[in-house]
Amino acid sequence: MAGPVLRVILGDQLSTRLDIVDGADKANDVFLLAEVMAEASYVRHHVKKIAFLFSAMRHYAQALRSAGYTVRYVALEDDGNTQSLDGEILRAVDALAPDRVAVTEPGEWRLREGFEALRLALPAPLDILPDTRFLCSHAEFDAWAEDRRELRMEFFYRDMRRRYDILMQPDGKPVGGRWNFDAENRKPPKAGLDSPPRLSFRKDAITLDVLDLVRRRFPDGYGRLEPFHFAVTRRQALRELDHFIAHILPGFGDYQDAMVSGEPYLRHSLLAAYINAGLLYPLEVCHRAEAAFRDGHAPLNAAEGFIRQILGWREYVRGVYWRFMPDYAERNALDAHEPLPWFYWSGETRMACMREALSHTYDHAYSHHIQRLMITGNFALLAGLDPKAVHEWYLAVYADAYEWVELPNTMGMALHADGGLLASKPYAASGAYIRRMSDFCQGCAYDPTIAVGDRACPFNALYWDFMARHRDRFSRNARMPYVYANWDRMGADRQAALRDQAQAHVVALREGRL
């Protein structure tokens, strides 16, 4: 009789549809899940993120046991916990003497490299199985990317739509005659725009124990631990999906770019954390959104825009990550080296828009994608903040952040640090954009209509200074000639005043006065 297989489940792989679970022998194999300080602290994770994952892991282990599997679960404070994944795998191998060790490929390059190195230390073979939750394998993405001069998400997305027959007509054309309805998804906030009521799940004994653990062991952790509303089981995550489809999706499209004070969610889903941790599956979420459109419950621009984020963008950034790592993490095409300001952690800044977005992040381990891109990301781009420092901040503070999805979004989409591999132009904007798409400017210490002077919005002069210092790179960009035409019309005196103002903002940033 063959010996047991030790089957390792990581904290973001809480799915029962993975090969590592499907192939398990209930009578013989052992699942290992471990809470370890090395993973909980390699960046300054939001305390809500730690609590969400620990509680979800404990509930997942409970579900495995209820299904008849044997589980070796190592809690953070258990005696003998080595506080590292490698250490807990080695300790389990010593205790169980398995014939083989199996893991699902991790989502982060550092863990994949760690498992490759662990092979040399293990007395049993280590199998790294594919993560079949994703809809495009590494080989499939590489085949799509091969020989392409530009890796544009739009064309990848169209191929994925065809492949999975989502929002397609019988004749092979997209429903509605267009692939992309993004132009209809950019309405500024109307008066009274707010978020429909959101779910809050009952905290059972497991979650209460985890909250107590996080409160004790991470007293200086980033963020606000309570109130804690997260789903921590697949059943609860499915309820969150049902709620989104029924109550949120119909209004998602029109206002997905809008921002409103005191409203961290608006018409956005809260599903990314559950999809990325394995409690929901991307294809089931896409099918539910498509069904809502076909049933007449949600308009096409809402369903298409939402599906594009999952079937298109999510799979695309994962493909970019694995194709270009590890060098991708070191890119700094715009030569940006300004240190990350402390207010990214504290939220203490005179800029109302930054303060608002940062408060959402601190309170909820969440901020919707336009706030991430066009507020915190836009400021980092314009001010020339160091890409690696910004990347580590984004990775730490959001409950849905894992390096495979966060790094390309930060380095490519927000900071243009990859030199345009991911985005054809930098997502740079002045205070006028923030004023148009939000109510954040009301009551701010700075005026978005002023570019020079004591009350000048920092985004304004920083925007023009960014464009001026990178003119050699961007002036040939087909999407940006109007920017430089406007700059040239200003005249030398106005240009000098704007650049001097930008430098004054940088000095204030360094001195903690911004």
Side-chain angles (χ1 to χ4, degrees):
M1 180 178 175
V5 177
L6 179 66
R7 298 178 176 271
V8 182
I9 303 289
L10 303 183
D12 61 343
Q13 297 174 349
L14 306 180
S15 165
T16 57
R17 298 184 188 176
L18 290 169
D19 292 349
I20 201 167
V21 178
D22 288 343
D25 180 353
K26 290 184 179 181
N28 211 25
D29 296 347
V30 178
F31 285 97
L32 170 65
L33 290 91
E35 303 167 6
V36 295
M37 191 60 77
E39 294 304 305
S41 62
Y42 74 95
V43 292
R44 194 185 176 202
H45 292 296
H46 198 296
V47 289
K48 273 188 168 75
K49 181 178 183 180
I50 299 171
F52 160 60
L53 288 175
F54 281 4
S55 181
M57 288 168 65
R58 293 185 185 191
H59 283 93
Y60 179 81
Q62 184 184 65
L64 287 178
R65 290 190 182 106
S66 297
Y69 294 103
T70 300
V71 179
R72 178 184 173 98
Y73 194 95
V74 182
L76 191 72
E77 296 183 317
D78 282 355
D79 292 341
N81 187 336
T82 62
Q83 302 301 339
S84 75
L85 286 174
D86 285 4
E88 286 313 298
I89 292 171
L90 288 167
R91 195 160 69 99
V93 167
D94 287 343
L96 302 172
D99 281 358
R100 291 187 301 118
V101 177
V103 300
T104 299
E105 180 184 69
E108 300 197 353
W109 180 271
R110 66 181 179 87
L111 288 177
R112 175 66 193 240
E113 291 293 283
F115 284 140
E116 293 292 352
L118 184 62
R119 290 184 194 271
L120 303 177
L122 285 173
L126 173 64
D127 299 329
I128 301 179
L129 307 176
D131 190 338
T132 52
R133 292 175 299 169
F134 291 93
L135 305 177
C136 184
S137 70
H138 301 323
E140 289 165 340
F141 186 85
D142 287 343
W144 174 83
E146 197 67 29
D147 298 326
R148 288 179 182 264
R149 188 172 63 86
E150 294 181 327
L151 304 184
R152 292 292 168 248
M153 192 281 291
E154 178 65 24
F155 301 110
F156 172 80
Y157 167 60
R158 294 178 187 183
D159 286 348
M160 294 292 283
R161 287 264 297 273
R162 295 186 190 100
R163 177 179 172 184
Y164 286 96
D165 192 28
I166 292 180
L167 291 179
M168 299 298 294
Q169 298 175 165
D171 62 2
K173 295 180 180 179
V175 169
R178 288 157 47 195
W179 292 102
N180 186 316
F181 288 82
D182 196 40
E184 298 176 18
N185 294 345
R186 299 170 183 167
K187 291 182 180 179
K190 63 181 181 180
L193 180 66
D194 60 5
S195 177
R198 298 300 179 116
L199 299 181
S200 180
F201 295 94
R202 184 182 65 84
K203 289 171 276 296
D204 62 7
I206 291 176
T207 298
L208 290 173
D209 284 347
V210 166
L211 292 174
D212 181 62
L213 168 73
V214 173
R215 195 178 296 111
R216 287 186 291 101
R217 294 301 300 269
F218 301 90
D220 299 320
Y222 172 77
R224 191 183 306 280
L225 181 59
E226 294 181 288
F228 184 84
H229 301 303
F230 284 81
V232 292
T233 67
R234 172 155 169 80
R235 177 176 293 182
Q236 290 179 344
L238 285 169
R239 285 181 56 198
E240 189 77 68
L241 173 59
D242 290 343
H243 183 77
F244 171 71
I245 296 296
H247 302 290
I248 314 297
L249 178 62
F252 168 75
D254 290 351
Y255 297 107
Q256 65 171 283
D257 283 10
M259 298 173 282
V260 175
S261 298
E263 295 288 348
Y265 310 135
L266 284 179
R267 306 302 166 88
H268 290 261
S269 89
L270 303 180
L271 303 179
Y274 309 130
I275 298 171
N276 292 350
L279 299 180
L280 294 174
Y281 302 99
L283 201 55
E284 73 179 340
V285 173
C286 291
H287 283 155
R288 289 290 305 277
E290 180 183 28
F293 160 69
R294 293 192 183 276
D295 292 343
H297 179 67
L300 181 55
N301 69 312
E304 186 279 318
F306 178 70
I307 288 169
R308 180 164 16 102
Q309 291 185 355
I310 298 171
L311 185 65
W313 191 253
R314 182 176 185 270
E315 297 290 329
Y316 168 76
V317 296
R318 178 182 182 253
V320 167
Y321 175 82
W322 283 103
R323 184 170 174 82
F324 294 101
M325 283 294 284
D327 295 341
Y328 193 84
E330 305 301 322
R331 296 192 179 195
N332 190 353
L334 301 185
D335 197 29
H337 298 285
E338 198 69 31
L340 186 77
W342 178 248
F343 64 65
Y344 269 75
W345 297 105
S346 70
E348 296 172 355
T349 171
R350 300 173 69 219
M351 292 178 286
C353 60
M354 289 289 288
R355 192 166 62 243
E356 184 72 23
L358 293 168
S359 72
H360 297 172
T361 302
Y362 185 87
D363 288 344
H364 304 287
Y366 176 86
S367 184
H368 70 67
H369 73 274
I370 291 300
Q371 295 191 71
R372 299 188 201 194
L373 177 64
M374 299 308 299
I375 303 295
T376 52
N378 184 28
F379 181 84
L381 173 70
L382 301 181
L385 303 189
D386 180 76
K388 185 167 285 188
V390 179
H391 145 59
E392 291 180 354
W393 181 80
Y394 276 108
L395 180 61
V397 301
Y398 293 116
D400 56 14
Y402 301 91
E403 192 176 79
W404 64 266
V405 63
E406 174 276 324
L407 182 65
N409 272 297
T410 300
M411 304 292 272
M413 189 74 167
L415 302 183
H416 210 76
D418 66 1
L421 188 155
L422 189 145
S424 60
K425 66 179 287 290
Y427 280 83
S430 69
Y433 174 88
I434 299 168
R435 183 188 183 204
R436 182 172 70 253
M437 296 306 298
S438 79
D439 64 356
F440 292 168
C441 298
Q442 298 174 12
C444 182
Y446 302 106
D447 188 330
T449 67
I450 299 175
V452 176
D454 291 343
R455 294 203 61 230
C457 172
F459 282 86
N460 291 335
L462 288 174
Y463 171 82
W464 287 114
D465 184 69
F466 172 84
M467 291 301 174
R469 69 180 187 266
H470 295 298
R471 181 166 191 158
D472 287 347
R473 174 181 291 273
F474 295 130
S475 62
R476 295 183 299 274
N477 188 303
R479 299 177 65 188
M480 299 180 68
Y482 68 93
V483 173
Y484 290 102
N486 288 339
W487 173 251
D488 291 340
R489 280 195 292 268
M490 291 181 186
D493 290 346
R494 179 63 173 173
Q495 290 174 353
L498 285 166
R499 300 206 70 179
D500 287 345
Q501 182 71 49
Q503 290 309 303
H505 290 319
V506 172
V507 171
L509 177 69
R510 293 168 179 168
E511 296 177 353
R513 296 185 286 105
L514 203 58

